[in-house]
Amino acid sequence: MTSPKADLLQGTLDLLILKSLQHEPMHGFGIAVRIGQMSKDMLSVEQGSLYPALYRLEDQGWIKAEWGISENNRKAKFYSLTSTGRKQLVSEEQSWAKLSTAINLVLGRA
Amino acid sequence: MKIFRHIRSRFRRDLFEAELAEEMRLHVALQTELNRQAGMSADEAHNAALRQFGNLASIQEQVREQRGWLTLESLAREFRLAGRSLRRQPGFAAVVVLTLALGIGANTAIFTLVNAVLFRPLAVRDEGSLVVLQTEDPRKGESSAGLSYLDFADWRAGIAALSGAGLMATTEVVVTIDGQPRRVLAALISPELFPVTGVQPALGRAFRAEEELPGSSEGVTPVMLSHAAWRGLFNADPGVIGRRVVVNEVPCEIVGVTPAGLFPIEPEPVDFWLTPAHFGDPVRPGTANASRSYRPYIGALARLRPGFSIEQARAELLALHVSILAAHPELGRDLTVRITPLRTLLVGELRPKLWLLAGVVALVLLIACVNVANLLLSRATVRQHELAIRSALGASSRDLIRQALAETLILAGLGGGLGFLLSWWTVGLASTVLPEGVPQLTGLVPDGRVLAFTGAAVLLTSLLCGLLPASAGGTVAPNDALKKGGRGSRGHGQTAIRHALVVGQIALTLTLLVAAGLVMRSLGRLHLAQPGYQTENVLTAQIALSGQSYVQGDFDPRTINHFLARLTEALEVLPGVADVSHAQSVPLTGVENSTRFAVVEHPAEPGRKPSAQLRFVAHDYFAALGIPLVAGRGFGVADGPAAGPVALVNEAFVREELAGRNPLGLHLQLGWGGFKPKEIVGVVADVRHRSPGDSARPEVYVPQAQFANAGITLILRTTVRPEALADAVRREVWRLDPGLPVTDILPLAHYRERTLSGQRFIAFLLGLFSVTALGLTLVGLYGVMSHHAASRRQEMGIRVALGARPADLYRLMLGQSLRLAGVGIGLGLMLALAVAQVLGSQLYEVSPADPLTYAGLSGLLLAVTLLSTLPPARRAARVDPVLALNAE
């Protein structure tokens, strides 16, 4: 993964994690891969920020964790969205849309 | 939810760690797999994966941090660390704990006392709406000018804002129980009083409304007992209801007993309860209740009607009073009325003193806090090296603040606990040292609210003291601290704060010292005050000469005189007795009367009703007590019932009532004590009647022999210890008349001590606090200066290396602390002057700006400051430059 990377703010990382879990539960590594895939490799998540973020989201009750078996038969902790988490995802997506529109307007004017 | 998670992760910490590790391992494994698929070899893939993952430990740490900073385990760790670091410096910890303990202990003790007096409710219902109506004569500044029954009746009927009112009076009566006469204290109350206040009798019944005046149907006058009298005089006999006793020759029946704890005073000041019937029928002329001028009642206790305020009641009372005065001009224009809430009246005089004490204690706590803050701050400065290293090793500023706060909490916790124990001890001590008659100060223990107050004080203190050094410690940039070699990283701001704290501490201590000093000097003056009569080696005794055998209907004094003459003869020959005399009211014993008077030759202006103190004395009274005669002649044996009526006046009377005119030969018409005008035959010196600090008031003396008084105080001047003669006195009295009540056989010195005890208590407490404050200052300054010197060791080393002599270093250190002391003392003087003005009313013959006190105490404080600086200065002066410069 050598293409230029964008820096990720903590809030946006949360949003991305929630988004990546929208359709199916995933373990930590899988989430990192999925984010890379969804952004067509423009974003890559630092492992150093991924796990703290996952624990933080779990503490806040937006995702929950369960131990299961990964694709290569190893024990893995799978994260999935809670119902609160789904609502949070929707609201964060809306906030993000508003924010980016606003920023675009500013930049467009400049 | 989060709490459970925390608890779970604390209890199953290893499980959580294992889970996290497992998760990380999987991630690395998957990444490795991915790398291998991208073409790396197994080893390369694994290494690449690990590198990409980053610092495992740091991530784990971050995740742990994510849990929030207040997990139980991290708290426990902080406290353990804090405890260890404190144990390494036991002296410092001890000083801080002791300082806090003193400050908090004193606070708790005083809070308990203030609480006991001001906040404990009386044993009455709804105390807040009870008020007291009184008259007063503002010219004389007496607390009450007395109330007549007729006035009370008008008030009760005419004030809509009150829903019920009861009269109160106190008097002494002679009660004969089973043939045994004794003098007891009685309170007269209207039957309404107990229902109005909500007091229910413990036994029997209360008075009925119709029993207020004589002539109730049963023919036997009802009386009630107080709880203490029931226990003491009747041994708590439950069959006491219905028993007959004789009160002042009137047969009475006991109908009820009041409950215990009615009075917030020990011992209870009432033995018997009587009704106003005791003072006669208001429609029968000649009885007390029939005259508006005779005002035996203290006042009326009333309840405000719901929805009415005390201001409304006051307005109605004033209006009513004006119309009463208009209808009865003989009362004189000077009389006014006032209405006061009950609690205010009861606590009254004591309250300003207690608030003063509370202020003092707050001051001490403040000084203690300032002390501790300074000590902690200084210590933090010295520890900056250590803090810098911790910071460099990864401790966030939050960690450092957390640890500083943990240390402070431990210290505050220990200090608070010790302080609470100290307060127990102090309260116990105070209960034994205290003046009698002060409400509820016996048998005190600190109560729950005190605990809460202490807890709050501790928390506040720790926040105050912890925040300052914690923010100072937390804002250290590790690089700076490490570079400067650890010691002496002195931000300008920090030093200024510490200096300000020292200055503040000195100022506050000086204020406290001055307050204590002034009060003590005042007390000393009081002790030395010459009251105008002899108080040492004088024995007094109260005898009650009432009863048919002594008092015939028209106040013929001959029988009493005869008895007193025989008694005096018998007592004079006793060994150890130098002189025997008697009077109706002797100074300090609390007995006094006053009377209206008129100077026949100089009538007073219309509307003015002058009154003076009235004293009935034996002819040798002045000689016995050592009161000098100033002009004319004293009383002699010849001034008996057959002679012309005479009187003596004192110097104050001449000054105030006669405007300095020569009184000899003038005639006085008195309100009682004989209605024929009395010739003034002499002038005696002023005495201080109520207490050694009392002002001299105009007094008129009348020979006891010319007027029959039932209550007599015997005076014996002795050559031995007065107490030794008590039994002899009783024996002689009973030899002449067995069973005659003779009570309160006490030396005059006892009464004198009693009047001083209130002042003494305050002086004691203030002295204690000042010494504490001084000690705190001494220790605090020593600590601060020590740290200061320690932080400047390098600088000292350089100075010595550059040629400074020890004397120079001394001068440097001492000069600095002198400057601080100077500013502190200057501020303190101003503060002390302000506080002293407030104290002014409590001081006896000492000016609030007394220069001797101020100068002396400032000097003391300066000396203390220098003393506390000497050891550190000496250490600084002896510094070995080589060691100092090399020290890291």
Side-chain angles (χ1 to χ4, degrees), chain B residues 390-597:
Chain B
R390 287 190 67 194
S391 180
L393 285 178
S396 66
S397 68
R398 236 175 26 172
D399 286 329
L400 296 179
I401 291 180
R402 224 190 306 168
Q403 213 224 327
L405 215 52
E407 269 182 23
T408 320
L409 276 173
I410 292 182
L411 291 172
L414 283 175
L418 194 61
F420 187 68
L421 286 174
L422 205 68
S423 72
W424 268 92
W425 179 75
T426 312
V427 165
L429 187 71
S431 291
T432 50
V433 165
L434 281 181
E436 353 170 315
V438 175
Q440 282 186 305
L441 288 177
T442 46
L444 264 189
V445 287
D447 70 6
R449 259 181 303 193
V450 174
L451 221 52
F453 185 69
T454 311
V458 168
L459 233 64
L460 204 66
T461 310
S462 61
L463 279 176
L464 257 170
C465 297
L467 231 54
L468 269 171
S471 61
T475 55
V476 156
N479 211 3
D480 291 332
L482 285 169
K483 263 197 289 191
K484 290 216 177 120
R487 314 239 176 197
S489 166
R490 292 184 290 140
H492 251 326
Q494 283 184 32
T495 321
I497 291 178
R498 293 216 317 273
H499 284 177
L501 286 177
V502 170
V503 163
Q505 189 172 4
I506 294 179
L508 291 174
T509 308
L510 184 63
T511 309
L512 203 53
L513 280 173
V514 164
L518 288 174
V519 169
M520 285 192 177
R521 285 198 75 189
S522 163
L523 189 67
R525 287 270 163 84
L526 267 179
H527 260 295
L528 293 174
Q530 291 304 327
Y533 44 86
Q534 182 174 343
T535 52
E536 296 304 314
N537 287 336
V538 173
L539 184 66
T540 65
Q542 314 284 333
I543 54 179
L545 293 171
S546 59
Q548 289 299 348
S549 43
Y550 293 107
V551 182
Q552 272 89 30
D554 58 348
F555 297 114
D556 184 347
R558 271 183 291 234
T559 325
I560 295 183
N561 293 346
H562 185 59
F563 173 82
L564 287 172
R566 285 167 61 209
L567 183 61
T568 309
E569 249 176 49
L571 289 173
E572 264 173 352
V573 298
L574 289 177
V577 174
D579 216 341
V580 178
S581 184
H582 58 267
Q584 184 249 357
S585 71
V586 171
L588 297 181
T589 56
V591 183
E592 61 180 32
N593 345 280
S594 59
T595 180
R596 284 278 162 70
F597 70 90

Side-chain angles (χ1 to χ4, degrees), chain B residues 154-354:
Chain B
D154 287 339
W155 292 357
R156 182 168 52 182
I159 301 181
L162 299 174
S163 67
L167 268 183
M168 307 175 295
T170 57
T171 184
E172 275 192 347
V173 294
V174 175
V175 173
T176 309
I177 307 169
D178 296 333
Q180 269 279 17
R182 12 167 42 101
R183 218 151 109 158
V184 296
L185 297 165
L188 270 76
I189 53 159
S190 311
E192 251 173 297
L193 199 73
F194 285 153
V196 160
T197 53
V199 172
Q200 302 278 11
L203 217 61
R205 66 168 178 86
F207 295 125
R208 297 199 206 103
E210 62 269 17
E211 287 163 346
E212 180 164 298
L213 294 174
S216 70
S217 45
E218 271 123 61
V220 174
T221 316
V223 294
M224 289 176 74
L225 285 178
S226 74
H227 207 262
W230 177 53
R231 277 195 320 258
L233 296 174
F234 292 91
N235 284 319
D237 171 20
V240 74
I241 307 297
R243 273 180 74 164
R244 297 292 169 98
V245 293
V246 178
V247 176
N248 277 7
E249 315 274 305
V250 175
C252 297
E253 181 182 321
I254 298 175
V255 299
V257 177
T258 52
L262 194 56
F263 291 95
I265 298 175
E266 291 286 332
E268 285 193 322
V270 172
D271 298 312
F272 275 78
W273 300 94
L274 311 172
T275 70
H278 178 80
F279 279 130
D281 196 326
V283 300
R284 198 157 68 87
T287 63
N289 283 337
S291 159
R292 270 189 210 263
S293 309
Y294 189 57
R295 301 201 285 268
Y297 301 99
I298 299 170
L301 186 67
R303 187 177 287 283
L304 286 172
R305 211 183 280 278
F308 284 83
S309 71
I310 194 173
E311 281 73 27
Q312 288 169 295
R314 187 175 289 125
E316 286 189 72
L317 179 64
L318 279 172
L320 196 57
H321 180 69
V322 165
S323 66
I324 293 177
L325 280 185
H328 299 275
E330 73 271 17
L331 292 176
R333 268 179 302 156
D334 293 319
L335 203 64
T336 61
V337 290
R338 67 155 191 255
I339 184 170
T340 332
L342 179 62
R343 171 57 86 174
T344 313
L345 206 66
L346 277 181
V347 174
E349 197 188 77
L350 210 55
R351 192 194 291 222
K353 291 198 177 117
L354 281 169

Side-chain angles (χ1 to χ4, degrees), chain B residues 502-503 506-507 510 781 814-830 858 861-862 865-866:
Chain B
V502 170
V503 163
I506 294 179
L510 184 63
L781 277 178
L814 289 176
Q816 176 168 51
S817 67
L818 269 177
R819 246 172 304 159
L820 286 177
V823 177
I825 289 177
L827 275 176
L829 283 174
M830 289 193 291
S858 304
L861 205 50
L862 202 65
T865 312
L866 287 176

Side-chain angles (χ1 to χ4, degrees), chain A residues 1 10 27-30 32-33 46-56 58-59 67 70-72 74-77 79, chain B residues 2 5-6 16 18-20 22-34 49 52-54 59 62-63 66-68:
Chain A
M1 305 182 191
Q10 190 189 65
H27 51 61
F29 180 76
V33 169
E46 283 284 336
Q47 276 79 337
S49 8
L50 176 65
Y51 281 97
L54 285 172
Y55 276 88
R56 186 177 60 247
E58 197 190 345
D59 274 348
W67 282 94
S70 74
E71 50 271 8
N72 52 356
R74 299 191 54 158
K75 229 174 67 159
K77 205 171 182 188
Y79 295 92
Chain B
K2 276 166 96 165
R5 199 176 274 281
H6 288 166
F16 163 70
E19 278 191 6
L20 189 60
E22 182 74 31
E23 224 182 326
M24 305 288 179
R25 245 180 291 142
L26 175 70
H27 192 116
V28 168
L30 288 174
Q31 185 69 47
T32 309
E33 191 60 38
L34 209 61
Q52 271 169 334
F53 200 73
I59 294 179
Q62 264 199 313
V63 173
Q66 211 53 43
R67 286 295 188 213

Side-chain angles (χ1 to χ4, degrees), chain B residues 351-364:
Chain B
R351 192 194 291 222
K353 291 198 177 117
L354 281 169
W355 282 124
L356 165 73
L357 287 174
V360 161
V361 167
L363 213 61
V364 170

